[in-house]
Amino acid sequence: MTPQSIEVNSRSYRWMSRPVVVVCVDGCEPAYLDAAVAAGVAPYLARMMKSGANLLADCVVPSFTNPNNLSIVTGAPPAVHGICGNYFFDRELGQEVMMNDPKYLRAGTVLAAFSDAGAKVAVVTAKDKLRKLLGNRMTGICFSSEKADQVTQAENGIDNVLDLVGMPVPSVYSAELSEFVFASGVKLMETRRPDLMYLSTTDYVQHKAAPGSAAANAFYAMMDRYLAQLDEMGATIVLTADHGMNDKHDAQGKPQVIYLQDVLDAWYGAGKARVILPITDPYVVHHGALGSFATVYAPDEATAAQWIERIRAVPGMESVMSRTEAAQRFELPPDRIGDIVVVSERHTVIGTSASRHDLSALEVPLRSHGGVSEQRVPLICNRPVTGVAGDRRLRNFDALDLALNHAQ
């Protein structure tokens, strides 16, 4: 017997009455949607925003991919699910590691809970780094565009994806990597009709192209066509983003970078501090591993307290706080962040040492994310929503709540 509702991480979700599709558009600053609609290239999005729900929400800080995607699928902040970056310093191992192993997850996902209860669930993500996290303990279909040619029934719950979608495997550095996600979603809805589907794209385009640019408008026009098809098949669609995106350069197009490891080494001696950049992942060509959030490991807590005021005075810093303050303000797991958390201002990024960042592959002036300045994201639904208090602070991880509990 199908349950009426399911509880996950202290939140209750009603069983879907029609297919539900939640879309996380990586790097989707709200201005991208506004510009595409104003240019007339996204007629479905225009209709969706006018006749459905057109809201704004706050993403998780650090405004990076992994913590926000996991927040969306768990309906909870990193303090609950444990994923607080793409990359972190594992104190137990004494090593810097990628945070894409499901062993780091501390909470179950809404996707897994619905699949356990008998729902047909599908997940398509652009990059494979997210696949195992999103599909953790989930029964159903789960694959990435990046490795769509390697899917198997045993590992991914589906095979012959390239034949199904009718596209070749895209380059990881391309708009087509995201298009493959949308094309897969439409084909899965046509052929498998999942009850619940999660689609997650990559921000390759957003790192290179500002809102309203030809490349950005072409991307959102593409997305618009696929969303319209999902709508025609009767799906409830909620679209949000993992983070926004901003220019991180000066008027001449030169990156504005605080190389914090170099700064601390100069002040206190080489190796006294360890600067960790949670934006770090294997795909650094478009951002050079530079974002607006970093954590610092100091020799001890007393040292960290003394360093904070001095780091605050560095030009381009927006906020510098202790581990305890940051964990409380940003709802982060305190054992997985440094002694000091550093956030730079809107047009500045943080690096480690200048020698460790190769910016030669940047074809356009640097655009990136990670700070509070990239926290505002869209939260839109193709149906009107009711029962959402006007004074409620909406989060991107309210997407499933909106789709399952409030969409009409």
Side-chain angles (χ1 to χ4, degrees), residues 104-145:
Y104 294 119
L105 257 178
R106 291 172 169 170
T109 71
V110 179
L111 307 173
F114 271 91
S115 74
D116 286 349
K120 290 192 291 183
V121 181
V123 174
V124 187
T125 180
K127 294 176 181 174
D128 207 61
K129 70 173 183 178
L130 264 176
R131 178 181 60 85
K132 287 188 177 180
L133 287 170
L134 294 175
N136 187 46
R137 299 185 180 177
M138 186 197 99
T139 303
I141 294 168
C142 184
F143 64 90
S144 70
S145 301

Side-chain angles (χ1 to χ4, degrees), residues 68-254:
N68 277 283
N69 272 272
L70 272 297
S71 289
I72 294 167
V73 300
T74 59
V80 174
H81 61 71
I83 305 299
C84 56
N86 303 341
Y87 182 83
F88 85 123
F89 179 63
D90 188 323
R91 289 175 187 264
E92 291 180 13
L93 292 176
Q95 294 177 355
E96 299 176 21
V97 295
M98 294 296 299
M99 200 183 274
N100 53 10
D101 191 313
K103 72 181 182 182
Y104 294 119
L105 257 178
R106 291 172 169 170
T109 71
V110 179
L111 307 173
F114 271 91
S115 74
D116 286 349
K120 290 192 291 183
V121 181
V123 174
V124 187
T125 180
K127 294 176 181 174
D128 207 61
K129 70 173 183 178
L130 264 176
R131 178 181 60 85
K132 287 188 177 180
L133 287 170
L134 294 175
N136 187 46
R137 299 185 180 177
M138 186 197 99
T139 303
I141 294 168
C142 184
F143 64 90
S144 70
S145 301
E146 181 184 1
K147 299 199 174 170
D149 58 338
Q150 300 174 33
V151 300
T152 64
Q153 189 70 42
E155 175 73 14
N156 308 96
I158 192 172
D159 50 22
N160 300 323
V161 164
L162 297 184
D163 292 340
L164 175 71
V165 178
M167 287 177 65
V169 177
S171 163
V172 74
Y173 297 114
S174 71
E176 286 75 26
L177 197 74
S178 292
E179 181 171 4
F180 197 100
V181 172
F182 290 115
S184 298
V186 167
K187 290 296 185 182
L188 288 172
M189 190 59 70
E190 286 176 350
T191 59
R192 309 293 178 99
R193 201 160 177 85
D195 300 305
L196 179 59
M197 183 158 62
Y198 184 71
L199 305 177
S200 178
T201 71
T202 173
D203 57 3
Y204 172 77
V205 169
Q206 290 81 0
H207 270 288
K208 295 170 75 72
S213 64
N217 280 351
F219 178 88
Y220 286 92
M222 172 275 291
M223 186 175 88
D224 192 81
R225 294 191 294 272
Y226 289 108
L227 293 176
Q229 292 177 66
L230 290 168
D231 183 287
E232 287 168 10
M233 287 184 272
T236 292
I237 303 169
V238 170
L239 181 150
T240 190
D242 52 352
H243 54 76
M245 189 74 69
N246 274 305
D247 290 339
K248 303 293 182 179
H249 55 80
D250 62 19
Q252 286 71 47
K254 182 183 176 183

Side-chain angles (χ1 to χ4, degrees), residues 11 48 64 77 79 85 112 126 159 181 198 223 264 278 300 307 327 340 356 381-382:
R11 300 182 79 166
M48 184 177 177
F64 295 135
D159 50 22
V181 172
Y198 184 71
M223 186 175 88
L264 295 174
D300 49 56
W307 288 4
I340 302 168
R356 291 172 60 185
C381 182
N382 65 336

